[in-house]
Amino acid sequence: MEEYKDEINLGENVVKTLKTIYDPEIPVDIYELGLIYDVMINEDNDVKILMTLTSPNCPVAETLPLEVEEKVKSIDAIKSCEVEITFDPPWSKDLMSEEAKLELGML
């Protein structure tokens, strides 16, 4: 049972880390923006993150996935991190958390 608890904590640590990464054009973190579609952690502590960008022409298309990878890899227990970008489904404001909408004055 202890092992399972550690996995949950690891997942929480990954989410906490993702919440420290911001889209440079919007003052909200990428997690609350709804850019993170899935976080998968296997038993070897390899992480795969499926994420999107606000648009295919996003100016940080090259740097943001690398920043996500580097920051997640910096978590002690994480062995590796791979970020996959997808535009299916495309990002929309509906994916934003209530907190993000409030922050941006959309509520």
Side-chain angles (χ1 to χ4, degrees):
M1 202 59 164
E2 190 61 38
E3 209 173 293
Y4 184 70
K5 186 174 175 258
D6 289 345
E7 273 180 38
I8 292 171
N9 290 342
L10 196 52
E12 286 173 2
N13 283 343
V14 170
V15 169
K16 276 185 198 160
T17 300
L18 293 172
K19 287 184 173 195
T20 68
I21 303 169
Y22 287 77
D23 183 306
E25 297 178 331
I26 306 169
V28 175
D29 71 76
I30 62 172
Y31 190 84
E32 297 296 338
L33 265 181
L35 297 181
I36 304 298
Y37 287 169
D38 202 359
V39 175
M40 297 153 275
I41 305 172
N42 71 14
E43 60 280 351
D44 294 330
N45 291 352
D46 297 310
V47 178
K48 182 166 184 184
I49 296 173
L50 184 62
M51 68 176 287
T52 194
L53 301 168
T54 51
S55 85
N57 304 327
C58 183
V60 292
E62 295 297 314
T63 57
L64 193 60
L66 288 175
E67 182 181 355
V68 169
E69 227 168 75
E70 291 304 313
K71 285 198 173 174
V72 171
K73 274 199 286 197
S74 74
I75 299 169
D76 282 345
I78 300 296
K79 195 165 123 193
S80 71
C81 179
E82 178 191 342
V83 174
E84 183 180 326
I85 299 292
T86 183
F87 291 102
D88 183 27
W91 180 84
S92 74
K93 292 177 183 145
D94 297 337
L95 295 171
M96 291 168 52
S97 69
E98 296 291 309
E99 185 182 308
K101 289 177 183 172
L102 190 65
E103 179 79 27
L104 297 173
M106 299 169 105
L107 284 180

